Amino acid sequence: MAAAEDRLPVRNPRTGDNDYWITPPSPKRLHEICQELRAAQVAWGARPLAERIAVMLRWADAIERHAQAIGDAEAIDTGRWKLSHQVPHMVVDGIRGWCKSAPALIDRALLSGTSTIYPNVSFQSQLKPIPLLGVISPWNHPFLLATLDAIPALIAGCAVVVKPSEIAPRFVEPVQRTVDDVPELAAVLRFITGDGRTGQALIEEVDALCFTGSVGTGRKVAVACANRFIPAFLEMGGKDAAVVTATADLDRAATAVLRSSVFATGQICFSTERVYVHESVHDAFVQKLVEKSNQLELSYPDPRRGHIGPFTFVRQAAIVDAHIDDALAQGARLACGGKSEQLGGGHYMRATVLTEVTHAMKVMTEETFGPVTPVMRYRTEEEAIALANDSDYGLSAAVIAGDVEEARRIGERLDAGAVALQDAGITIAILRDAEKNSFNLSGMGGSRMGPNGLLRFYRKKALMANHAAPADMLALGEA
Ligand code: NAP
């Protein structure tokens, strides 16, 4: 039984009150949980794939039944109403989608044949699930990011323990009820609440780790995983660039850029965070962007109305304000919006557009994670590409040009894992279809998307048989 002083308070992003509490497991209890999961994984991993899929589909049905309760909890976690109530259905689609594609993906990964080096040797591959996967997830998309990696890992046959962020953990209670509805799954999937200390302790227990979060924490996680020689899959921040060419449809460009800048109050890893616009259309683009920005309303006081909700993590508002202050102090111009405002205990920010920005400013180099769109003019295509690639990050990017071919030509030269052409911020579209690597500080450890999103949870083994007669076998070992 945990003592009251072990509890951690959780702030409500709309009221500013601490109105929820979580109790992290003690290190001893965490160890016991992991041992239980390990024991159950042996049978889970040995089940035929079709049986694991049947269990996962029952979980999808259970989430659908509890979707309202999960959405309600996540809406308090994040301050966002509509998106929070869409997320349970996105997770359900994710489970059903992976269940559909997994058999063929696994089939294609199972290789067999004859050695090209020793013709007498035949081989067959075996996929062995990693026994216990740890998932450490951030506050900005609580349920989705707690399960994005867990779903394919469970289908692969792993047991999974998830540690979501202490900032947004309310969704765990109703989600745990959906897991409890499916006893075979409850034996191999557990959510634990806690802060960074629980995350660190978790790394000591697991066989591989999926982390989604900031670069600073990712570095600590990578070091801890390296100390244990366990694989670490790190998905970190971004500073996504969008390039708008002289030939672009400016209405399309402004719509795409604005949506991908302010969606979820800009608290999405692949939000558009900087825009490079050809000088010949810069002013017209900014005018359209400002017009569209001014049409957006704060989602206050009614969480079901408006477009831009509160900052989920209160300290984020101060970071975004500091980026705006730094830009204005160095000569940037505020075209619309402005710094955060406090309403009813929550911190809100209107869609904000900055012009006359440079790469000396934080708003063009550090992750802002707010509804801010800084716009910079460029003269040549080479300059646009150089500016877009001048970043510590490389998560995703966007190009809006006269046509897809022009956009593709520029997109191919951008150092980012997922490049949207003629739109922005659509990375999630390829989740189960195409692989992408992060560039620079945005990630490490192979694609979480496409076939590798599932296959990375297997240790690949090769079983080899030598069919040579005894006399020929000796030849293999001769010096
Ligand atoms: P964060 O502060 O790095 O936290 C991420 C997770 O790590 C949380 O669960 C956190 O727990 C935990 N943690 C903190 N310290 C730890 C430690 N020493 N050892 C192990 N775990 C530890 O990130 P965040 O602020 O929650 O999330 C925002 C960041 O995530 C942004 O940079 C965003 O770009 C990035 N992100 C990336 C992607 C992607 O796919 N690339 C997607 C979404 C978000 P507590 O919160 O409880 O301290």
Side-chain angles (χ1 to χ4, degrees), residues 8 22 136-141 145 148 163-168 194-201 203 211-218 220-221 224 234-238 267-270 313 316 367 369 393 395 436 438 442-443 448-449:
L8 300 172
I22 55 171
I136 297 178
S137 54
W139 52 261
N140 68 314
H141 229 319
L145 290 171
L148 203 70
K163 206 289 294 172
S165 168
E166 70 183 303
I167 311 297
D195 59 14
R197 290 167 295 183
T198 307
Q200 278 289 340
I203 296 170
F211 168 84
T212 309
S214 63
V215 170
T217 310
K220 289 185 203 158
V221 167
L234 307 180
E235 302 286 343
M236 295 177 289
Q267 303 165 124
I268 297 284
C269 54
F270 53 81
F313 181 35
Q316 200 63 42
E367 187 174 44
F369 231 49
Y393 294 96
L395 196 59
K436 67 153 197 82
S438 297
S442 286
R448 98 186 315 179
M449 298 195 166

Side-chain angles (χ1 to χ4, degrees), residues 97-389:
W98 276 118
C99 285
K100 200 168 164 203
S101 54
L105 289 178
I106 292 168
D107 220 38
R108 278 202 292 275
L110 288 170
L111 305 177
S112 61
T114 303
S115 163
T116 51
I117 297 171
Y118 298 126
N120 291 329
V121 172
S122 69
F123 66 88
Q124 200 168 21
S125 49
Q126 183 194 351
L127 301 178
K128 191 129 171 96
I130 287 170
L132 183 58
L133 175 74
V135 171
I136 297 178
S137 54
W139 52 261
N140 68 314
H141 229 319
F143 185 28
L144 191 77
L145 290 171
T147 51
L148 203 70
D149 303 311
I151 292 166
L154 287 161
I155 293 172
C158 312
V160 180
V161 54
V162 183
K163 206 289 294 172
S165 168
E166 70 183 303
I167 311 297
R170 293 172 183 80
F171 77 99
V172 166
E173 270 190 76
V175 168
Q176 190 61 52
R177 284 198 285 277
T178 68
V179 177
D180 293 341
D181 277 0
V182 187
E184 302 96 315
L185 184 69
V188 289
L189 172 61
R190 204 73 60 89
F191 289 81
I192 54 165
T193 50
D195 59 14
R197 290 167 295 183
T198 307
Q200 278 289 340
L202 178 61
I203 296 170
E204 300 305 316
E205 297 284 345
V206 296
D207 305 307
L209 200 278
C210 286
F211 168 84
T212 309
S214 63
V215 170
T217 310
R219 188 168 274 127
K220 289 185 203 158
V221 167
V223 167
C225 289
N227 275 330
R228 294 202 53 231
F229 289 117
I230 62 169
F233 304 102
L234 307 180
E235 302 286 343
M236 295 177 289
K239 188 73 195 170
D240 289 2
V243 175
V244 177
T245 68
T247 50
D249 172 340
L250 295 186
D251 199 52
R252 180 186 191 96
T255 301
V257 161
L258 180 63
R259 193 200 64 228
S260 66
S261 290
V262 307
F263 180 68
T265 316
Q267 303 165 124
I268 297 284
C269 54
F270 53 81
S271 295
T272 295
E273 293 231 345
R274 53 200 171 106
V275 187
Y276 303 98
V277 185
H278 190 266
E279 59 180 356
S280 64
V281 294
H282 173 274
D283 293 355
F285 171 81
V286 169
Q287 192 186 341
K288 276 197 185 294
L289 187 62
V290 168
E291 276 167 22
K292 289 178 191 289
S293 298
N294 284 335
Q295 286 164 17
L296 300 184
E297 288 171 11
L298 296 182
S299 171
Y300 180 85
D302 184 351
R304 296 174 197 232
R305 297 176 69 88
H307 306 95
I308 305 180
F311 284 101
T312 298
F313 181 35
V314 66
R315 288 219 299 274
Q316 200 63 42
I319 294 169
V320 182
D321 281 347
H323 283 198
I324 294 173
D325 279 341
D326 171 68
L328 295 177
Q330 294 192 65
R333 198 175 68 78
L334 190 64
C336 67
K339 287 168 62 178
S340 67
E341 47 193 299
Q342 217 178 322
L343 298 166
H347 293 254
Y348 294 76
M349 184 177 279
R350 293 183 182 279
T352 296
V353 177
L354 291 167
T355 59
E356 312 308 326
V357 291
T358 71
H359 278 211
M361 300 171 185
K362 288 179 182 171
V363 79
M364 293 300 276
T365 53
E366 296 179 13
E367 187 174 44
T368 305
F369 231 49
V372 181
T373 321
V375 184
M376 185 170 175
R377 66 186 88 222
Y378 72 84
R379 278 176 292 278
T380 65
E381 192 172 301
E382 288 305 313
E383 189 190 6
I385 292 165
L387 285 166
N389 287 342

Side-chain angles (χ1 to χ4, degrees), residues 41-100:
Q41 186 274 335
V42 177
W44 176 251
R47 278 184 160 211
L49 176 62
E51 287 185 18
R52 287 199 299 273
I53 286 177
V55 172
M56 293 298 287
L57 290 174
R58 279 167 44 219
W59 187 34
D61 294 343
I63 294 170
E64 220 159 39
R65 285 196 300 277
H66 294 261
Q68 184 68 38
I70 299 169
D72 289 349
E74 179 155 319
I76 306 175
D77 272 333
T78 60
R80 313 187 283 249
W81 183 263
K82 195 170 164 205
L83 181 59
S84 296
H85 286 84
Q86 288 168 345
V87 164
H89 302 286
M90 292 161 74
V91 173
V92 166
D93 286 349
I95 296 171
R96 291 182 180 150
W98 276 118
C99 285
K100 200 168 164 203

